[in-house]
Amino acid sequence: MFKSAEYDLLRESVGLADRSSRGKLRLLGAEGAEFLQGQVTNDVETLEPGSGCYAALLNHKGRVRTDMRVLRGADWIWLDTEPEMQAVVESTVRTYGIGRDVHAEDVTASHAILSLLGPAARSGLDIEPPAPEHAFVEGEHGLYVATPLGVDVICSAADADAVRTALGVEQVSDEAVECLRIESGRPRFGFDFDTDTIPEEAGLNERAVSFTKG
């Protein structure tokens, strides 16, 4: 059970959650966006560098195999997933990327994700990302990605402790963060929906599905 002080911190100021355990892949190759466009539910090809989206990978029956965050850089695409689902995405790239200029680089161990959560999440950053969800900029400590509840700092794992110190934000428990997420109404794969779920059943259509992409 988390302390009420942690909840108050997240509601009134800012707390830090370490989400470095998430699976992290970087897609490289000239056909990365085109390849991903044909695999996931959202429109990846229209993303501009510095933006991103939320998407799902479905099976042949339209059920969710996994979900992911997609960020598009100038010559790379970043994907992060629930820890145990990274292998699903890697397998998809290996299987269906044959003959295409795309490959996945596992950056789980080399990169950390530090989530700043709360109304003051942006206050200590040297530069703020744009307001839209998944928009990002490169700052002093790494990539700063806008989230519904604050900002994710994606940095080198080797620098994570130094970044934590520089940010000067108190770390909060996973339980407190989960409480905040549940209150926000955002379903989480493996907790609120799973591989027996179609996107509509989980309320993902608006966020994760493009019905107009080519």
Side-chain angles (χ1 to χ4, degrees):
M1 188 68 179
F2 64 88
K3 300 175 182 177
S4 60
E6 292 183 327
Y7 178 82
D8 292 341
L9 190 67
L10 293 173
R11 276 299 181 193
E12 299 171 8
S13 182
V14 57
L16 184 146
D18 191 332
R19 288 178 166 151
S20 302
S21 64
R22 283 182 66 78
K24 311 176 198 74
L25 297 172
R26 187 160 46 199
L27 288 190
L28 302 172
E31 295 182 285
E34 181 183 353
F35 166 78
L36 202 60
Q37 183 83 347
Q39 300 298 320
V40 302
T41 55
N42 220 334
D43 192 343
V44 176
E45 282 194 304
T46 60
L47 293 175
E48 295 291 334
S51 67
C53 67
Y54 172 64
L57 182 67
L58 307 182
N59 66 16
H60 66 285
K61 293 184 178 181
R63 302 187 187 281
V64 178
R65 295 182 66 200
T66 185
D67 64 351
M68 68 193 75
R69 172 168 57 181
V70 181
L71 304 177
R72 187 166 189 178
D75 56 1
W76 50 264
I77 295 175
W78 168 281
L79 309 174
D80 62 75
T81 69
E82 293 290 341
E84 64 277 10
M85 304 314 295
Q86 174 184 334
V88 173
V89 182
E90 285 187 285
S91 175
T92 298
V93 178
R94 283 196 306 269
T95 302
Y96 299 105
I98 294 175
R100 310 194 70 166
D101 184 10
V102 59
H103 69 275
E105 178 185 10
D106 182 356
V107 293
T108 300
S110 62
H111 286 72
I113 300 177
L114 305 177
S115 294
L116 302 175
L117 305 166
R122 294 168 174 256
S123 62
L125 299 176
D126 53 292
I127 183 173
E128 294 188 17
E133 184 177 1
H134 309 300
F136 64 91
V137 293
E138 187 162 359
E140 179 182 357
H141 304 303
L143 293 183
Y144 303 162
V145 187
T147 72
L149 300 175
V151 176
D152 278 359
V153 178
I154 300 177
C155 63
S156 164
D159 297 334
D161 286 342
V163 171
R164 238 186 241 104
T165 300
L167 292 172
V169 176
E170 181 179 339
Q171 187 160 336
V172 296
S173 66
D174 292 341
E175 291 80 7
V177 175
E178 272 297 280
C179 182
L180 197 68
R181 178 192 67 80
I182 291 167
E183 289 182 345
S184 75
R186 286 287 178 95
R188 181 179 175 186
F189 183 82
F191 292 76
D192 307 304
F193 66 103
D194 56 25
T195 54
D196 289 325
T197 310
I198 64 172
E200 185 175 13
E201 291 173 334
L204 303 183
N205 279 4
E206 184 176 344
R207 293 171 51 219
V209 181
S210 170
F211 294 100
T212 59
K213 70 171 183 168

